[in-house]
Amino acid sequence: MGLGSSTSAYNWNLAAPVLSPASNTSVEAFPTLHKENCHSLEYLVDRQRQLCMLSDKMVQVLQTGATQTVEECQHQFRHSRWNCSTVQNSTDIFGGVLKFKSREAAFVHSLSSAALAHAVARACSRGELNECSCDSRVRKRTPRHWQWGGCSEDIRYGEIFSRDFIDAKENKETDEGLMNLHNNEAGRRAVRGRMQRVCKCHGMSGSCSVRVCWRRLPQLRLVGDALSTRYEGASHVKIVERKKGKNIRKLRPLHADMKKPNKTDLVYLEDSPDYCEPNDELGILGTRGRTCNRTSAGLDGCRLLCCGRGYQTRVRDHEEKCRCRFVWCCRVHCEICRSKRDHHVCN
């Protein structure tokens, strides 16, 4: 799951996804692996292999985190020139795109770190892992008007595991490693900062004389939305070395008048590659043939998505249920309405 190596930009997934030939933008299935397979995964470093071998359940949690990362990335970038399309027959699930220390790499690193922390914390609360359970630390707090109860999901353990596993592959002495470590932590903080307190009332006749609360993980979609916003405002940084007895390497804004990024911001070191035209070496599909929105001024609009090449309008038959009515008892009967709709495709 460590996204650290430039030669294997997204190699923390424990198996390459099985994709149909026509599908290069969706994950359909990950082969089920067991802890014995951890030895054969050459892209794992020793520490990652040790954690992988904790149990078959842990391997499954790692796979869940990998799958959710790809699916959420593809949702967030579905209207962008680069739409997180996956590449077949490659050890790098996104091809060579993440070899660039770009804002896209920053997003994927942060999301993968968040997804693993989320998957581990959820597995803990469900009793699927022997190493953890519910978060008992919250019960040590003494709120005034309610009390802790239920099973609080242990994001603290999820963060610790994510940091131990994902960060194990990063070298903070390299520019890329320093950038990745920052973005990994930003992803984990995005989960922690969105933990929700959920309460339930207890008492006679709904009096709510006792209010019991517990902490629940946010939906990963909320985390993805937050990281997508961070991606839009990602900070372009450079490495600054200072000698104070020993070399200290820091990430600093590229220009002095730019805001210094905090620990929840995403950072990148290089501009993104060109996503408009196909590039087999990098696994970039280009935007030719992509569906665009003629009336949108956003990223999904034909002007931006088609990179100035223009678009074609095609008429397609469209079917949908209509004039639905309730039939006693107990079903809904609908008619099928057919229409023709314009479909805009990038040249």
Side-chain angles (χ1 to χ4, degrees):
M1 247 184 266
L3 287 164
S5 168
S6 63
T7 58
S8 189
Y10 188 78
N11 57 15
W12 66 278
N13 59 299
L14 299 183
V18 178
L19 300 171
S20 63
S23 174
N24 46 31
T25 57
S26 64
V27 175
E28 296 181 353
F30 276 78
T32 301
L33 294 183
H34 304 283
K35 66 178 183 179
E36 291 78 10
N37 299 113
C38 298
H39 283 296
S40 63
L41 303 178
E42 297 178 357
Y43 45 77
L44 298 183
V45 298
D46 288 343
R47 181 54 181 162
Q48 290 178 321
R49 197 170 284 111
Q50 292 171 6
L51 294 170
C52 174
M53 292 177 60
L54 286 175
S55 66
D56 285 344
K57 286 291 187 181
M58 184 58 75
V59 177
Q60 294 169 20
V61 172
L62 294 174
Q63 288 185 292
T64 296
T67 306
Q68 289 179 336
T69 298
V70 179
E71 291 175 342
E72 185 59 28
C73 181
Q74 290 177 349
H75 172 79
Q76 295 295 339
F77 282 80
R78 65 195 184 281
H79 298 313
S80 301
R81 290 176 178 175
W82 180 67
N83 58 357
C84 287
S85 51
T86 55
V87 178
Q88 293 176 284
N89 304 321
S90 173
T91 55
D92 301 343
I93 195 170
F94 292 133
V97 169
L98 302 188
K99 292 178 182 178
F100 289 83
K101 297 182 279 289
S102 64
R103 65 172 69 219
E104 288 77 29
F107 177 84
V108 174
H109 278 79
S110 64
L111 179 60
S112 82
S113 180
L116 181 56
H118 191 281
V120 169
R122 177 135 300 168
C124 290
S125 66
R126 292 175 176 174
E128 297 173 357
L129 299 175
N130 296 327
E131 296 78 17
C132 57
S133 58
C134 302
D135 186 359
S136 59
R137 294 183 316 121
V138 296
R139 295 176 181 269
K140 297 177 182 179
R141 306 172 191 171
T142 54
R144 287 187 176 183
H145 307 297
W146 46 275
Q147 65 186 42
W148 288 107
C151 179
S152 292
E153 293 178 298
D154 195 351
I155 186 55
R156 177 176 172 272
Y157 183 83
E159 283 186 294
I160 290 173
F161 187 93
S162 173
R163 189 175 296 113
D164 195 4
F165 190 97
I166 289 188
D167 292 4
K169 205 157 193 175
E170 305 296 348
N171 180 1
K172 65 181 180 180
E173 299 304 319
T174 67
D175 294 357
E176 185 178 22
L178 201 59
M179 168 186 152
N180 292 345
L181 287 169
H182 177 100
N183 292 321
N184 290 348
E185 186 62 26
R188 290 185 284 264
R189 286 173 180 258
V191 183
R192 187 206 314 166
R194 285 160 182 79
M195 291 292 290
Q196 303 164 343
R197 194 181 77 202
V198 183
C199 299
K200 185 175 182 180
C201 285
H202 298 273
M204 297 294 292
S205 303
S207 63
C208 202
S209 56
V210 178
R211 193 163 172 241
V212 177
C213 303
W214 60 95
R215 298 187 78 204
R216 184 173 67 187
L217 286 164
Q219 294 294 318
L220 192 60
R221 176 57 41 79
L222 294 177
V223 177
D225 290 342
L227 291 177
S228 182
T229 300
R230 296 288 185 184
Y231 161 85
E232 295 293 342
S235 299
H236 197 169
V237 297
K238 60 183 177 181
I239 304 295
V240 175
E241 296 189 16
R242 295 178 179 174
K243 291 185 177 180
K244 294 182 179 179
K246 61 179 180 179
N247 286 348
I248 299 176
R249 307 175 78 251
K250 297 286 187 179
L251 295 167
R252 291 292 181 261
L254 187 63
H255 302 292
D257 59 344
M258 298 171 64
K259 180 182 77 73
K260 179 182 175 181
N262 60 35
K263 293 184 179 180
T264 62
D265 289 328
L266 300 189
V267 300
Y268 67 99
L269 290 164
E270 297 177 347
D271 291 330
S272 302
D274 178 19
Y275 298 122
C276 289
E277 300 297 333
N279 185 321
D280 293 337
E281 182 180 351
L282 296 179
I284 295 174
L285 302 177
T287 64
R288 298 179 191 276
R290 290 275 301 276
T291 299
C292 63
N293 185 342
R294 185 175 61 85
T295 61
S296 173
L299 293 175
D300 62 331
C302 293
R303 187 178 66 84
L304 291 179
L305 189 61
C306 301
C307 304
R309 296 186 306 265
Y311 60 93
Q312 298 178 17
T313 299
R314 302 169 183 173
V315 179
R316 287 186 174 180
D317 293 328
H318 180 76
E319 292 185 354
E320 63 182 354
K321 292 181 179 180
C322 62
R323 293 190 282 274
C324 297
R325 62 183 184 277
F326 179 74
V327 180
W328 184 267
C329 172
C330 297
R331 61 190 178 89
V332 176
H333 177 75
C334 298
E335 298 180 22
I336 300 296
C337 292
R338 295 175 175 83
S339 60
K340 294 185 181 295
R341 292 187 179 179
D342 290 341
H343 183 71
H344 310 292
V345 178
C346 292
N347 290 329

